[in-house]
């Protein structure tokens, strides 16, 4: 063969290669089913290719819903820091544009999706999130965030391409109540910290933040009709800490901020026990007529309102009226736990009366599991933490149950014997223990239909700041979020741990001080004495 024909054949070969590569999509092949999504979605179908998010991608909000438009901007703001892209948010009732869009659409989908479910559809050309309600779109965005490269969580611009695996995710929660509780009484957390916590909870599709606003050690909500509650009762914390309280404006701002992320705030005023801060502020609430000293220790069960005094109920009416006026959510939590110095014959009529006050304010009552001894009205909710028998009795009385089993769901329990922070009266709660249980089989006689959902409380006797909070909360709360969201039949400990391991890179990038059982030297903050 001549040199000329060899050159000719070589050129032909090269041009064929170039032609094929031009006609191939330039986006890499990616597998959506390999992504570590937490909580695990109901179904994931991979299409095998990828979508590239770039500076020209636009967010298209179908229709003229102001709420959806706000979510569109939320998405744009989420994407901006790490990508540097200032994505345009376009709203229109006209037809969807053709390519490089993220569509957010509320449309009547399968009823199975409910108000919180969503369908996330990713092709090479576009992304769409469909849902029956704005909450669903919001949750779909949290999933989209987790299928973007992990660097999306960076606070500053990253030099990289932003490919997302193509496919479809169909997803909805198994329980309607998926909560966290923060005790701001033992140690106070300022409103800005509560907002940071709200951001963290929303990322895992939690939808409730229960604030434990009063206890023996501190009263944390401005109560205009009884001002000494905060002036005196809010002035300190465990170990003589600085204390503090939310002004009503700050509380309303927390409620507003949470609502934007589809999180309902549930305020708790714990009574008749856990009331030393109130008793110390107003002598007339005490049986003796004398106010005790403020309390900065961590014992429980020694205080009680006088359940027989008329002034006690005036006090509760005022407090719950002010609280209800600032709380758009349907629930008021009245505590009711560990009232060890209140006689049962006094406790029962007390809870009955408080329940009537809650109802008169147009709210549903939630109480810790001890409240089952009272006459529960329809819609009152029982929060199980200690005694399975109480939860069973609650179900007999037709109450719905929130599950917070202390030996699995309490975020203040130590991970193991060498954890410096936390307590261990309910046992150690390591990552496996926090994840490996099913709400619907936990307590004999209590099945899925009786359960409103699950909640992860963080009591703060030993927790003084956000670094410590993060260490105790993460990653256990991610497991709890999955228990609340993902059908039990799709959950598996080993699969969860593989996803969690991958996901931990995102926690690192976000700067969350999470507990890593594999780290030899854990970044655990020193426990304060
Ligand atoms: C509780 O842990 N005392 C509800």
């Amino acid at each position: 063969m001549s040199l000329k024909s060899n050159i000719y054949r070589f050129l032909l070969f090269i041009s064929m290669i170039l032609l094929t590569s031009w006609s191939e999509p330039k986006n890499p092949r990616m597998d959506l089913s390999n992504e570590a999504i937490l909580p695990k979605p109901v179904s994931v179908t991979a299409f095998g290719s990828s979508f590239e998010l770039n500076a020209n991608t636009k967010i298209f909000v179908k229709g003229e819903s102001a709420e959806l438009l706000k979510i569109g901007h939320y998405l744009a703001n989420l994407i901006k820091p790490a990508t540097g892209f200032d994505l345009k948010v376009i709203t229109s009732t006209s037809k969807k544009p053709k390519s490089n869009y993220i569509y957010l659409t509320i449309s009547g989908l399968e009823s199975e999706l409910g108000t919180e479910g969503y369908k996330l559809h990713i092709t090479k050309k576009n992304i769409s999130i469909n849902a029956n309600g704005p909450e669903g779109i919001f949750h779909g965005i949290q999933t989209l965030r987790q299928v973007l490269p992990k660097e999306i969580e960076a606070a500053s611009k990253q030099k990289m391409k932003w490919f997302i695996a193509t496919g479809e995710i169909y997803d909805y929660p198994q329980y309607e109540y998926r909560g966290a509780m923060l005790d701001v009484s033992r140690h106070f957390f300022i409103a800005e910290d509560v907002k940071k916590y709200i951001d963290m909870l929303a990322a895992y599709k939690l939808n409730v933040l229960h604030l434990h606003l009063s206890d023996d050690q501190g009263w944390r909500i401005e109560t205009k009709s009884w001002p000494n509650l905060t002036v005196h009762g809010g002035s300190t914390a465990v170990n003589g800490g600085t204390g503090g309280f939310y002004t009503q404006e700050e509380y309303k701002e927390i409620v507003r901020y949470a609502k934007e992320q589809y999180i309902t705030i549930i305020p708790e005023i714990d009574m008749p026990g856990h009331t030393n801060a109130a008793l110390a502020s107003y002598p007339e609430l005490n049986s003796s007529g004398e106010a005790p000293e403020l309390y900065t220790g961590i014992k429980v069960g020694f205080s009680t309102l006088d359940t027989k005094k008329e002034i006690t109920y005036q006090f509760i009416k005022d407090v719950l009226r002010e609280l209800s006026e600032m709380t758009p959510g349907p629930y008021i939590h009245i505590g009711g736990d560990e009232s060890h110095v209140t006689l049962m014959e006094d406790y029962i009529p007390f809870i009955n009366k408080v329940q009537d006050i809650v109802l008169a304010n147009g709210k549903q009552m939630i109480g810790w599991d001890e409240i089952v001894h009272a006459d529960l009205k329809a819609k009152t909710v029982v929060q199980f933490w200690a005694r399975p028998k109480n939860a069973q009795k609650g179900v007999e009385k037709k109450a719905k149950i929130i599950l917070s089993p202390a030996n699995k769901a309490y975020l203040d329990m130590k991970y193991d014997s060498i954890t410096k922070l936390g307590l261990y009266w309910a046992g150690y709660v390591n990552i496996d223990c926090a994840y490996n249980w099913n709400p619907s089989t936990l307590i004999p006689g209590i099945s899925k239909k009786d359960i409103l959902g699950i909640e992860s409380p963080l009591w703060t006797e030993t927790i003084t700041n956000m670094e410590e909070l993060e260490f105790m909360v993460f990653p256990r709360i991610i497991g709890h979020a999955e228990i609340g969201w993902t059908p039990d039949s799709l959950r598996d400990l080993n699969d969860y741990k593989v996803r969690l391991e991958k996901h931990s890179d995102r926690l690192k990038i976000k700067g969350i001080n999470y507990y890593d059982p594999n780290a030899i030297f854990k970044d655990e903050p020193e426990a304060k004495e």
Side-chain angles (χ1 to χ4, degrees), residues 47-105:
F47 299 161
S49 185
S50 57
F51 171 89
E52 185 186 358
L53 182 88
N54 58 38
N56 295 321
T57 305
K58 294 186 180 62
I59 298 168
F60 182 84
V61 175
K62 180 84 173 159
E64 279 163 353
S65 152
E67 188 167 357
L68 207 49
L69 187 62
K70 211 168 176 183
I71 300 179
H73 286 291
Y74 167 86
L75 174 58
N77 288 337
L78 205 66
I79 287 171
K80 191 172 173 180
T83 62
F85 304 153
D86 212 346
L87 301 193
K88 281 209 176 66
V89 184
I90 295 168
T91 176
S92 168
T93 49
S94 64
K95 263 182 66 185
K96 290 172 179 174
K98 289 230 162 52
S99 66
N100 204 9
Y101 278 81
I102 302 174
Y103 307 127
L104 306 181
T105 319

Side-chain angles (χ1 to χ4, degrees), residues 274 337-338 368 385 410 425 459:
H274 289 278
D337 58 320
E338 297 176 312
W368 297 106
W385 67 282
Y410 270 27
W425 58 262
W459 301 99

Side-chain angles (χ1 to χ4, degrees), residues 30-38 41 44 50-51 118 120 122 127 129 140-153 162-167 169 503 506:
M30 287 172 77
D31 186 350
L32 188 65
S33 54
N34 279 342
E35 299 294 342
I37 305 170
L38 290 149
V44 177
S50 57
F51 171 89
Y118 64 91
L120 170 61
I122 306 161
I127 294 178
I129 305 176
I141 287 173
Q142 302 312 321
T143 301
L144 176 60
R145 180 177 178 181
Q146 290 189 18
V147 297
L148 271 154
K150 61 181 183 298
E151 291 83 359
I152 196 68
E153 300 298 346
W162 301 92
F163 290 110
I164 304 171
T166 56
I169 295 177
H503 184 80
R506 287 174 195 257

Side-chain angles (χ1 to χ4, degrees), residues 191-203:
E192 281 313 303
D193 285 342
V194 176
K195 286 183 173 183
K196 282 185 203 150
Y197 197 33
I198 288 169
D199 292 342
M200 295 176 202
L201 302 175

